[in-house]
Amino acid sequence: MQAGDISKVNLSEIQSSFECLQKNVDNKVSAEECVRGGKLIGIQMTIKETLKMISQINTDGTGFIAYEEYEQLINLKLKKAEKEKAMHLANFKKYDKDGNGSISFDELKMVLGRPGYGMTEKTIIEHFNNADTDGDGQISFSEFVKYFCEI
């Protein structure tokens, strides 16, 4: 993977996180360190997921990865996160009928109240109230993703 594939900001963050993780300064990190490094730059990874990714990119089979492999692993995870965000945003826009960046109760009702969804107004109210975690009467994009996409 070429450094040009990664934005300069991401590349700098990846380099910094790798440097913070190296306990013995041998230019290699473990799966556990990769998970911690991901958290440093806002990427959530499980040990299982990380071990699977490491097995696919680790060239020497040691279970430890060098910086270049770490950069590749983090970049793959960033690309996956970007694709997921784009998918969630496309779904969000189906509900945000007026395009103002939030979903009102009426907008949610307009979609979930259609034939085929089989939702009563009571159920829609319940979903709305559960999704609107800050209680502002609107469902923001982050609230939408957390409630409707990650359950």
Side-chain angles (χ1 to χ4, degrees):
M1 180 160 306
Q2 302 294 319
D5 294 341
I6 307 168
S7 78
K8 288 181 182 180
V9 172
N10 287 344
L11 184 58
S12 174
E13 289 177 358
I14 291 169
Q15 289 169 337
S16 294
S17 69
F18 185 83
E19 290 168 9
C20 289
L21 296 173
Q22 293 187 82
K23 289 183 177 178
N24 55 3
V25 194
D26 64 354
N27 200 35
K28 293 186 179 195
V29 294
S30 68
E32 292 82 9
E33 291 168 325
C34 287
V35 171
R36 283 197 315 274
K39 286 180 183 176
L40 289 172
I41 58 176
I43 298 173
Q44 299 299 316
M45 299 184 290
T46 65
I47 289 289
K48 184 177 178 179
E49 174 185 25
T50 304
L51 286 169
K52 183 178 178 184
M53 292 173 78
I54 287 175
S55 72
Q56 294 170 350
I57 63 172
N58 184 234
T59 56
D60 62 10
T62 63
F64 290 86
I65 58 173
Y67 173 74
E68 293 77 18
E69 294 166 322
Y70 176 78
E71 181 183 296
Q72 183 180 2
L73 182 142
I74 296 296
N75 193 41
L76 287 170
K77 188 64 180 170
L78 285 169
K79 285 183 179 183
K80 182 180 176 186
E82 287 173 8
K83 285 180 184 177
E84 287 175 0
K85 184 177 179 179
M87 180 186 69
H88 295 324
L89 188 57
N91 286 330
F92 180 80
K93 287 180 178 182
K94 291 177 187 175
Y95 292 84
D96 182 18
K97 298 295 185 186
D98 63 9
N100 71 347
S102 63
I103 301 169
S104 68
F105 174 76
D106 289 338
E107 289 172 317
L108 187 67
K109 184 178 174 182
M110 191 181 315
V111 176
L112 296 182
R114 287 187 208 155
Y117 279 93
M119 291 202 186
T120 65
E121 185 160 344
K122 180 180 177 184
T123 303
I124 296 168
I125 291 169
E126 187 176 302
H127 282 298
F128 185 85
N129 290 335
N130 289 332
D132 180 22
T133 57
D134 65 7
D136 68 352
Q138 299 287 317
I139 300 172
S140 68
F141 177 69
S142 62
E143 289 171 326
F144 175 83
V145 170
K146 188 169 188 149
Y147 185 75
F148 291 102
C149 302
E150 295 181 354
I151 53 175

